[in-house]
Amino acid sequence: MAEERKSIHGTWSSRWTFILAATGSAVGLGNIWKFPYMAGDNGGGAFVLVYLACIAVIGLPIMLGEIMIGRRGRSSPANTMKALAVEANTTPAWSLLGATGALAGLLILSFYSVAAGWALSYVFNGFQNITAESSTTSFNDLLSSPTSLIFWHTLFLSITVFVVARGILDGLEKWINTLMPMLFVIVLLLCLYATQSGAFIQGIIYLFQPDFSKITPEVMLEALGQAFFTLSLGMGAIMAYGAYMPANQNIGKTAISVAALDTGVALLAGIAIFPIVFANGLAASEGPGLVFVTLPIAFSSMPLGVFFGTLFFVLLSIAALSSSISLIEPGVAWLIESLKIKRITATLLLGFVAWFLGLFSALSFNLLSEFTIFGKNFFDATDFLTNQIMLPLGGIFIAIFVGWVMKKENVLEELDVEENFIFKFWYFSIRYISPVMVGCVFLYFFI
Ligand code: PFF
């Protein structure tokens, strides 16, 4: 009986908590930092269109699948996959999917923590008398200082380890409950400011008017990878959280809420940022520094800007924290279950690995900038490997597992639905549309 199974790591105290925790995982640097700069790098509207299509057609069905697998298995992704494979009378080697997911999580965490460190350091920016030029210089100064980057990276990762070591079920809930809505309000406020910037319409057109000639294989792969990244899919984060989900919660509605909130925040961030970019004569294709260069200019020229600027970067850091927690949790839960070690030991161990790898990402902007892998520095190479390859590939296998390996009656039982039209539609997407589309984007890109 589904009602009686519980994870040894605990259960979220209410339905609302799962939505908050999953939204906390989904909404993070991916929405506010990465989405705008990727849109800017890839020509705006065309990228946004493909991204939205990937979320709706591929991301949402897979998210539902991941939550469902997690709740049915009630363990870490690796052990969940093993248990469900055994239930379906196939090879337990499916647990490898959970293991590679945990590895992807660590790799992402290593560079995510470096970028989250930038957000932390901007809490102390001051936000006064900032021009386009001085803002660009301060960001470049930060990147060129190995000690600052390592300091902030270390601080951010230590906070992550501290929270995860205490157990993510208590504590986390209260925080996300109030802080996530606050971040939402500040982003809305920035949108309001953007309407006054003088280039609002230009920003909106850039973001929403697709130039179809810009849809290349690269843009498609980047948009696909970003869809997985922003929804925290393809590596078991949402699966691990699903394991702590109450048995009586509706998975479909939950997945839709999380995906909608996440997409909303990303679009609002874009609406806030691009008008400021154009009004200040900055380049949309500024790259990873886009948010860090543009927003301080906005804060320094708005009333109460010091207050709002500081608060914004505090909240952004916390949004990053609620995501980084979910990057390390699949590995931590797995180590606890498999090696029977304490949560604190498991967290310290994996935290150390992520921290160590992160050093190379931090140094790739300065001392190691000459060191490249396929023409990318270490930071970008790790980003490419995880987001554009590992997550979509993980997504294909999750879709295949749900659609072809699990018994249909078990899927129906876990989702607690009849075989109605919506179910059939979703089942068809996860069996055919999601894997085939991800496969096509891969083929298109690599061939
Ligand atoms: N979704 C997070 C963000 O948008 O910032 C990042 C992330 C968290 C990616 C967890 C993957 C993951 F498993």
Side-chain angles (χ1 to χ4, degrees):
M1 288 286 290
E3 271 69 19
E4 282 161 13
R5 280 182 290 111
K6 285 224 164 112
S7 160
I8 59 160
H9 309 285
T11 305
W12 303 113
S13 61
S14 73
R15 300 168 192 213
W16 187 223
T17 319
F18 176 82
I19 298 191
L20 279 175
T23 310
S25 165
V27 175
L29 295 175
N31 307 61
I32 289 171
W33 161 68
K34 206 154 193 287
F35 168 75
Y37 96 71
M38 290 191 80
D41 270 352
N42 291 299
F47 172 88
V48 176
L49 187 74
V50 183
Y51 165 82
L52 291 176
C54 289
I55 298 252
V57 180
I58 302 172
L60 192 57
I62 293 186
M63 176 176 261
L64 229 140
E66 261 202 48
I67 302 176
M68 189 268 297
I69 296 181
R71 190 170 69 182
R72 191 160 185 85
R74 289 269 184 239
S75 331
S76 65
N79 286 328
T80 284
M81 293 303 298
K82 194 187 207 163
L84 297 195
V86 171
E87 183 184 59
N89 297 325
T90 46
T91 160
W94 276 97
S95 71
L96 267 179
L97 185 58
T100 47
L103 177 70
L106 276 192
L107 288 172
I108 296 177
L109 182 58
S110 74
F111 74 85
Y112 198 82
S113 162
V114 173
W118 304 342
L120 264 185
S121 79
Y122 267 65
V123 170
F124 306 95
N125 178 295
F127 306 105
Q128 265 163 347
N129 306 323
I130 296 174
T131 60
E133 209 181 2
S134 69
S135 196
T136 310
T137 314
S138 348
F139 185 70
N140 290 338
D141 285 349
L142 174 66
L143 289 194
S144 61
S145 161
T147 34
S148 307
L149 292 186
I150 292 177
F151 171 79
W152 294 110
H153 160 58
T154 308
L155 183 63
F156 181 81
L157 208 56
S158 310
I159 303 175
T160 305
V161 165
F162 178 76
V163 175
V164 177
R166 297 186 52 200
I168 60 164
L169 292 159
D170 25 270
L172 190 64
E173 184 170 354
K174 275 186 266 95
W175 284 82
I176 340 184
N177 228 331
T178 44
L179 296 173
M180 299 296 291
M182 267 164 83
L183 179 67
F184 199 74
V185 171
I186 295 213
V187 175
L188 276 179
L189 207 88
L190 279 166
C191 289
L192 209 70
Y193 172 87
T195 59
Q196 308 301 312
S197 65
F200 188 65
I201 302 294
Q202 195 186 346
I204 297 290
I205 290 179
Y206 182 77
L207 204 56
F208 293 109
Q209 195 175 71
D211 169 355
F212 290 99
S213 68
K214 293 210 168 123
I215 303 185
T216 61
E218 278 88 353
V219 168
M220 286 179 74
L221 186 65
E222 299 225 353
L224 177 73
Q226 175 63 11
F228 275 93
F229 182 76
T230 194
L231 295 176
S232 306
L233 295 180
M235 56 140 288
I238 291 294
M239 201 187 286
Y241 277 12
Y244 316 143
M245 184 181 194
N248 55 2
Q249 182 160 3
N250 182 310
I251 296 182
K253 281 191 199 146
T254 306
I256 293 176
S257 321
V258 175
L261 283 169
D262 185 77
T263 309
V265 174
L267 293 179
L268 285 176
I271 294 174
I273 286 164
F274 285 106
I276 304 173
V277 169
F278 296 127
N280 289 284
L282 291 160
S285 56
E286 179 87 24
L290 190 68
V291 173
F292 295 94
V293 173
T294 45
L295 293 189
I297 307 174
F299 289 125
S300 95
S301 65
M302 69 168 69
L304 294 178
V306 181
F307 171 74
F308 285 123
T310 310
L311 188 62
F312 173 83
F313 282 102
V314 168
L315 295 173
L316 181 60
S317 307
I318 292 171
L321 182 66
S322 62
S323 301
S324 68
I325 290 170
S326 70
L327 284 165
I328 198 173
E329 179 65 17
V332 168
W334 184 37
L335 285 191
I336 298 174
E337 289 163 12
S338 319
L339 305 181
K340 310 270 178 277
I341 52 177
K342 290 212 186 82
R343 177 165 270 274
I344 182 162
T345 320
T347 317
L348 281 173
L349 203 75
L350 296 185
F352 178 79
V353 175
W355 174 80
F356 183 74
L357 287 171
L359 294 181
F360 294 91
S361 280
L363 297 179
S364 69
F365 294 104
N366 37 69
L367 300 178
L368 297 181
S369 59
E370 300 295 308
F371 173 74
T372 55
I373 307 167
F374 293 116
K376 294 180 190 295
N377 70 15
F378 194 84
F379 184 98
D380 291 334
T382 323
D383 179 348
F384 178 81
L385 172 71
T386 50
N387 296 342
Q388 261 107 277
I389 311 287
M390 293 178 88
L391 298 188
L393 210 57
I396 294 192
F397 282 107
I398 288 167
I400 292 177
F401 189 80
V402 175
W404 299 92
V405 177
M406 281 182 78
K407 292 202 182 85
K408 196 179 189 182
E409 69 253 28
N410 290 343
V411 173
L412 281 163
E413 180 192 65
E414 196 56 46
L415 290 177
D416 196 16
V417 288
E418 302 294 317
E419 208 175 333
N420 55 18
F421 173 72
I422 302 181
F423 174 82
K424 284 192 182 136
F425 184 70
W426 167 76
Y427 203 59
F428 182 80
S429 328
I430 204 141
R431 272 168 82 96
Y432 300 100
I433 304 180
S434 308
V436 169
M437 284 192 47
V438 177
C440 286
V441 175
F442 272 145
L443 280 181
Y444 193 35
F445 181 79
F446 288 105
I447 297 174

